[in-house]
């Protein structure tokens, strides 16, 4: 498969489509809602700093990023999902990192204001656009590398697969995460090794690599310590590739590997020193600065759960590493495709291409394929390292850390898919076309079967409503809306979903319901229309409190097209619950030390089954009446009338029986 292509035009085209995707989600890789709202809380820290800097200078409030206060207002950045910012003042500092973002974007923001660009929405757009451009420019280094060593098919595959990678797209212009800083240590080292590979002054490459490794790791660490193990490992992968390709001596490789690693570690340590000095100035002493930094590290890694107060932090530190890893291997890459599916595909392609090269004695491919393979499969340890070393962080941040698969494992994997396609086509020609067509048909069949299977699983989940048009099931903390024949609905018409809580105190709004209106395209796709079923299913996240009823339908400019009211309190969904398995200074076996209270996992079934006034029966303490219920994202705290419970005799794993309604009403 030979392509005659102008490299400059290819790179310019790739840059343009990257910027369009990163800044505007131009190819609809993700829903508009996800693209607009992903990690806005983190980005709000940067905007809080910029507002503070514009009012009081770079070093006010320690120079840290700043949290958002209430009394926010729409600054006009987007229309469908307004950007809500407190433009008057900011809250306390986010002191867990130095806050390099505030200085970097602060300088640009000052420049914009000095040139009479005062609209905050315009300034946000420009800052995010610059971020998109920097991320796109960084990826050109990788494409240039692919063109040189993998071929244009690989580079094209990398462009296409990156454009349709949801996790990459939603991070690409975020002001807090500065995605270009996450990949630059890897990409700059790749750039210098490629640039000076065949030149007489190639020793210069290593001087640049050591300097680059120090500076890029320093800047990334000053912008936050997240993902640092992944980034440090990714940084040395280019050395592995060129060492194998060019047959470096082991001694020479280890020398360059150690020097590069030390340079990166020095950058990391230097960032910690700078951050400690900043904390000392802000907190008043080095002891306080060191204590805060150690606490931050321990709560995100493998610290003592008994030192934590937040139940989620406690659970994260108690979590099994293998369970955390399983969460990320089973994560949704796109459209129901799990990350482990892609890993298996890369394994199969590696075996197939390796066999072709060996059997057909393709000498021209042998050394380059070996270099590609070793660097690819070593790079998988970059994301895995963070999930192991920072287990606590990955447990809590399942809505973010799937990004790590791309640094640099999937970026290299995308290129390898293109490389493998090229090798197979060049050696099998017509047979390749037949095999490719068969794979496409087989894949379509498998995807349809998987979606049909997913739909059948939902059918078996607890049913809360069903008629001849749609069905509502619940599983975990999600409700699944199944339209029984997609063709009967106009999916472009907006859906309304009003959730009425048992206790209105759980609402922050003036209305008596939680407005969860949605566009069908915005809600998470669970299963789509396919040849095996006319159903289409969407996953909707439910609030963490008990719901009395819901009203759902569709509406347009003329009014409501259809609606259905559903009573959610017909019967209890569980007959018993078990106190949560947690013990610390305040709780033992899920039982509160200081008062008659216990807590359970917050699931839909649990919260729908218990309400204030209900009668519960404990193994030792007998019957107790529920006096109050509070909900958090993960747990339900249940207060009771009467004396304190017995942690040993009433707590985990003893069941708590939910008395039936008939007895409750006697």
């Amino acid at each position: 498969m030979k392509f005659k292509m102008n490299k400059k035009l290819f790179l310019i085209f790739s840059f343009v489509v990257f910027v369009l995707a990163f800044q505007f989600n131009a190819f609809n890789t993700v829903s508009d809602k996800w693209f607009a709202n992903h990690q806005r809380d983190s980005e709000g820290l940067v905007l809080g700093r910029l507002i503070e800097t514009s009012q009081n200078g770079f070093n006010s409030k320690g120079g840290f990023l700043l949290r958002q206060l209430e009394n926010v207002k729409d600054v006009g950045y987007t229309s469908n999902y307004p950007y809500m910012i407190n433009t008057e003042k900011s809250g306390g500092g986010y002191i867990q990192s130095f806050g390099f973002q505030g200085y970097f974007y602060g300088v640009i923001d000052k420049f914009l204001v000095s040139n009479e660009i005062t609209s905050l929405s315009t300034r946000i757009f420009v800052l995010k656009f610059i971020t998109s451009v920097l991320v796109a420019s960084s990826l050109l280094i990788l494409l240039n590398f692919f063109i040189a060593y993998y071929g244009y098919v690989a580079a094209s595959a990398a462009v296409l697969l990156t454009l349709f990678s949801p996790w990459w797209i939603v991070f690409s212009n975020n002001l807090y995460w500065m995605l270009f800083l996450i990949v630059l240590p890897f990409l700059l080292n790749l750039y210098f090794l490629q640039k000076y590979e065949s030149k007489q002054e190639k020793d210069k490459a290593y001087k640049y690599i050591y300097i680059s490794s120090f500076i890029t790791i320093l800047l990334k660490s000053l912008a936050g310590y997240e993902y640092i193990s992944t980034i440090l490992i990714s940084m040395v992968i280019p050395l592995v590739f060129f060492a194998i390709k060019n047959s470096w001596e082991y001694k020479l490789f280890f020398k360059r590997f150690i020097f590069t690693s030390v340079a990166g570690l020095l950058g990391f340590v230097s960032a910690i020193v700078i951050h400690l000095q900043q904390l000392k100035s802000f907190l008043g002493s080095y002891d306080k600065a060191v204590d805060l930094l150690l606490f931050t590290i321990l709560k995100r890694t493998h610290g003592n759960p008994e030192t934590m107060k937040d139940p989620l932090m406690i659970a994260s530190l108690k979590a099994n590493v293998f369970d955390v890893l399983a969460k990320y291997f089973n994560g949704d890459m796109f459209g129901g495709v799990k990350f482990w599916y892609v890993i298996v595909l890369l394994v199969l392609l590696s075996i197939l291409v390796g066999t072709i090269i060996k059997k057909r004695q393709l000498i021209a491919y042998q050394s380059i394929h070996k270099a590609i393979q070793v660097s690819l499969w070593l790079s998988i340890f970059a994301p895995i390292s963070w999930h192991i070393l920072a287990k606590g962080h990955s447990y809590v941040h399942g809505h973010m850390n799937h990004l790590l698969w791309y640094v640099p494992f999937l970026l290299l994997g995308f290129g390898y898919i293109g490389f493998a396609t090229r090798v197979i086509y060049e050696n099998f020609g017509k047979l390749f076309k037949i095999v490719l067509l068969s794979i496409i048909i087989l894949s379509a069949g498998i995807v349809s079967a998987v979606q049909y299977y997913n739909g059948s699983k939902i059918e078996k989940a607890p049913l809360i409503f069903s008629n001849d048009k749609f069905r509502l099931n619940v599983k975990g903390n999600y409700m699944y809306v199944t339209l029984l024949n997609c063709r009967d609905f106009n999916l472009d018409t907006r859906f309304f979903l009003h959730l009425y809580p048992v206790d209105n105190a759980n609402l922050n709004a003036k209305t008596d319901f939680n407005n969860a209106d949605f566009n069908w395209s915005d809600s998470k796709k669970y299963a789509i229309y396919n040849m095996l079923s006319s159903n289409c299913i969407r996953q909707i996240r439910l609030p963490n409190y008990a719901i009395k009823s819901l009203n759902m339908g569709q509406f347009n400019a003329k009014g409501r097209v259809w609606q259905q009211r559903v009573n959610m309190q017909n019967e209890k969904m569980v007959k018993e619950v078990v106190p949560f398995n947690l013990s610390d200074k305040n709780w033992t076996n899920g039982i509160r030390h200081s008062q008659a209270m216990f807590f359970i996992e917050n699931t839909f079934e649990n919260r729908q089954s218990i309400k204030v006034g209900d009668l519960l029966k404990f193994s030792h303490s007998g019957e107790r009446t529920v006096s109050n219920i509070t909900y958090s994202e993960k747990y339900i705290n249940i207060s009771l009338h009467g004396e304190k419970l017995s942690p040993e005799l009433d707590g985990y794993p003893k069941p708590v029986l939910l008395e039936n309604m008939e007895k409750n009403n006697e």
Side-chain angles (χ1 to χ4, degrees):
M1 189 180 291
K2 296 181 180 180
F3 288 89
K4 292 183 179 180
M5 196 176 293
N6 184 297
K7 185 166 77 170
K8 287 184 178 179
L9 288 178
F10 178 84
L11 293 177
I12 290 171
F13 172 79
S14 301
F15 174 79
V16 171
V17 295
F18 278 153
V19 172
L20 290 174
F22 300 163
Q23 183 69 6
F24 304 104
N25 187 30
F27 306 102
N28 295 315
T29 306
V30 297
S31 70
D32 290 340
K33 184 176 182 180
W34 188 14
F35 183 74
N37 292 312
H38 183 70
Q39 282 295 286
R40 271 199 182 174
D41 52 346
S42 297
E43 196 167 67
L45 298 171
V46 181
L47 298 175
R49 177 69 255 172
L50 296 182
I51 291 166
E52 174 67 21
T53 297
S54 67
Q55 296 171 350
N56 301 305
F58 283 97
N59 295 319
S60 61
K61 295 189 177 182
F64 293 107
L65 302 181
L66 298 170
R67 303 181 188 279
Q68 285 290 310
L69 293 170
E70 295 181 356
N71 301 318
V72 295
K73 65 179 183 179
D74 179 10
V75 297
Y77 176 66
T78 59
S79 55
N80 291 334
Y81 308 99
Y83 224 115
M84 309 301 287
I85 302 293
N86 188 314
T87 57
E88 303 299 327
K89 60 180 180 179
S90 297
Y94 179 76
I95 62 178
Q96 286 86 344
S97 68
F98 175 79
F100 173 71
Q101 299 94 324
Y103 293 93
F104 179 81
Y105 292 115
V107 170
I108 301 172
D109 192 52
K110 287 278 189 184
F111 173 80
L112 296 175
V113 173
S114 68
N115 283 275
E116 299 183 352
I117 302 175
T118 56
S119 166
L120 183 56
S121 63
T122 302
R123 285 150 54 200
I124 293 173
F125 175 86
V126 172
L127 295 177
K128 291 172 82 68
F129 184 78
I130 289 171
T131 306
S132 297
V133 167
L134 289 172
V135 175
S137 301
S138 301
L139 288 182
L140 295 187
I141 297 173
L142 183 66
L143 296 183
N144 189 55
F145 168 78
F146 282 152
I147 291 169
Y149 302 106
Y150 291 48
Y152 276 105
V153 177
S156 301
V159 172
L160 185 64
L161 292 171
T162 301
L163 288 175
F164 292 97
S165 293
W167 291 102
W168 186 271
I169 296 298
V170 295
F171 275 94
S172 54
N173 71 2
N174 190 279
L175 302 183
Y176 176 83
W177 288 103
M178 302 178 80
L179 185 54
F180 58 92
L181 283 185
I182 293 176
V183 294
L184 269 180
F186 163 70
L187 293 175
L188 283 181
N189 287 354
L190 199 66
Y191 169 78
F192 289 125
L193 283 166
Q194 180 183 352
K195 180 178 180 180
Y196 291 99
E197 180 184 22
S198 59
K199 296 184 179 180
Q200 290 184 347
E201 66 269 30
K202 60 184 176 182
D203 285 344
K204 284 185 178 181
Y206 304 103
K207 294 179 182 178
Y208 292 140
I209 284 172
Y210 306 147
I211 295 171
S212 167
S213 298
F214 173 81
I215 292 175
T216 54
I217 295 296
L218 170 66
L219 294 180
K220 171 61 190 82
S221 300
L222 290 175
Y225 304 111
E226 297 96 341
Y227 311 152
I228 194 62
S229 68
T230 297
I231 298 167
L232 285 169
I233 292 174
S234 74
M235 180 183 70
V236 299
I237 296 300
L239 292 171
V240 174
F241 177 87
F242 283 95
I244 295 172
K245 177 184 176 295
N246 296 327
S247 303
W248 293 357
E249 294 180 358
Y250 287 112
K251 183 177 180 180
L252 184 62
F253 167 73
F254 283 115
K255 173 187 173 183
R256 292 167 177 172
F257 176 87
I258 291 170
F259 280 19
T260 303
S261 301
V262 168
L265 289 171
L266 284 175
F268 176 59
V269 172
S270 298
I272 292 176
V273 171
I274 294 170
H275 185 202
L276 283 173
Q277 182 59 44
Q278 182 192 30
L279 285 171
K280 184 261 181 184
S281 300
F282 186 71
L283 298 175
S285 72
Y286 280 117
D287 287 342
K288 291 181 179 178
V290 171
D291 287 346
L292 183 134
L293 199 56
L294 284 176
F295 177 78
T296 301
I297 293 170
L298 290 173
K299 79 173 183 178
R300 295 307 192 192
T301 53
H302 293 263
N304 182 358
E306 294 183 1
T307 63
M308 302 295 162
K309 295 181 180 179
D310 184 345
L312 182 58
M313 292 294 108
I314 294 170
S316 73
L317 295 176
K318 286 187 171 183
N320 184 287
V321 168
F322 294 104
D323 291 337
V324 174
L325 286 171
K327 176 194 296 188
Y328 288 94
F329 277 97
N330 284 306
D332 191 355
M333 183 176 172
F334 58 82
V337 175
K338 307 295 185 183
F339 283 101
W340 72 264
Y341 296 179
V342 180
I343 294 170
V344 170
L345 172 64
L346 290 170
V347 169
L348 295 176
L349 285 176
S350 298
I351 295 171
L352 177 60
V353 173
T355 302
I356 292 172
I357 291 173
K358 182 177 180 180
K359 293 292 185 182
R360 300 214 165 199
Q361 298 183 348
L362 305 177
I363 298 174
Y365 282 123
Q366 286 178 355
S367 64
I368 194 71
H369 187 253
K370 183 179 179 182
I372 291 171
Q373 281 289 287
V374 175
S375 55
L376 171 66
W377 292 110
L378 281 179
S379 73
I380 198 173
F381 292 105
I384 289 174
S385 71
W386 183 260
H387 300 319
I388 294 175
L389 297 175
K391 175 200 69 173
H393 187 273
S394 284
Y395 178 91
V396 174
H397 294 87
H399 58 293
M400 291 169 17
N401 289 2
H402 296 289
L403 172 72
L404 292 179
W405 285 119
Y406 297 85
V407 187
F409 174 66
L410 281 181
L411 293 179
L412 292 175
F414 292 162
Y416 185 69
I417 289 172
F419 175 85
T421 302
R422 170 189 169 193
V423 172
I424 296 169
Y425 183 85
E426 287 179 349
N427 286 274
F428 291 97
K430 293 181 180 179
L431 179 60
F432 172 81
K433 296 177 182 178
I434 297 172
V435 171
L436 181 60
L437 181 60
S438 301
I439 290 173
I440 291 173
I441 295 172
L442 180 62
S443 299
I446 291 173
V447 169
S448 293
V450 168
Q451 291 174 347
Y452 183 78
Y453 173 70
N454 286 340
S456 66
K457 284 199 303 182
I458 294 305
E459 287 183 21
K460 298 175 183 178
L463 179 70
I464 59 175
F465 179 79
S466 178
N467 63 17
D468 60 345
K469 292 185 177 181
F470 73 98
R471 184 174 60 238
L472 301 178
N473 297 80
V474 291
K475 186 178 181 182
N477 286 318
Y478 293 94
M479 180 172 73
Y480 294 88
V481 181
T482 303
L483 304 182
L484 299 180
N485 192 334
C486 287
R487 297 188 187 95
D488 293 341
F489 293 84
N490 182 354
L491 299 183
D492 293 328
T493 301
R494 188 165 173 79
F495 285 74
F496 67 87
L497 177 61
H498 297 166
L499 304 169
Y500 295 83
V502 171
D503 184 356
N504 285 351
N506 290 299
L507 295 174
N508 295 321
K510 296 179 180 179
T511 60
D512 62 346
F513 61 85
N514 179 339
N515 189 337
D517 295 358
F518 63 94
N519 294 319
W520 190 263
S521 59
D522 290 341
S523 53
K524 182 170 180 179
K525 182 165 55 180
Y526 192 80
I528 63 172
Y529 174 82
N530 59 68
M531 66 184 75
L532 299 177
S533 172
S534 61
N535 298 352
C536 46
I537 304 175
R538 289 300 183 272
Q539 182 188 75
I540 307 293
R541 177 81 179 188
L542 291 170
N544 60 17
Y545 47 77
I547 300 169
K548 174 173 59 179
S549 62
L550 65 81
N551 196 21
M552 194 184 94
Q554 286 182 280
F555 69 98
N556 55 31
K558 296 180 180 180
R560 293 186 174 182
V561 179
W562 64 270
Q563 64 178 327
Q564 178 67 53
R565 187 88 175 200
V566 179
N567 184 359
M568 305 279 281
Q569 289 190 301
N570 287 330
E571 60 182 25
K572 294 182 182 298
M573 302 188 72
V574 295
K575 295 181 179 180
E576 64 180 42
V577 295
V578 177
F580 198 81
N581 183 19
L582 183 143
S583 299
D584 60 20
K585 63 181 181 180
N586 297 316
W587 306 81
T588 297
N589 298 329
I591 305 296
R592 184 78 174 179
H593 297 162
S594 59
Q595 63 189 99
M597 177 188 287
F598 72 107
F599 77 98
I600 59 177
E601 184 180 4
N602 190 347
T603 65
F604 178 82
E605 291 88 346
N606 283 349
R607 60 180 176 263
Q608 289 299 118
S609 299
I610 303 177
K611 65 180 184 299
V612 173
D614 277 357
L615 199 61
L616 308 182
K617 187 174 182 179
F618 292 84
S619 298
H620 172 73
S621 298
E623 293 182 344
R624 294 293 184 86
T625 303
V626 177
S627 61
N628 188 50
I629 301 176
T630 58
Y631 304 92
S632 68
E633 193 64 30
K634 295 285 185 178
Y635 309 106
I636 304 173
N637 291 329
I638 303 171
S639 299
L640 308 162
H641 290 296
E643 299 296 321
K644 292 186 290 186
L645 301 172
S646 168
E648 291 76 21
L649 301 178
D650 293 320
Y652 178 87
K654 304 290 186 181
V656 180
L657 302 181
L658 280 59
E659 300 289 76
N660 60 44
M661 294 299 294
E662 288 77 9
K663 183 171 182 178
N664 218 12
N665 292 329
E666 289 177 356

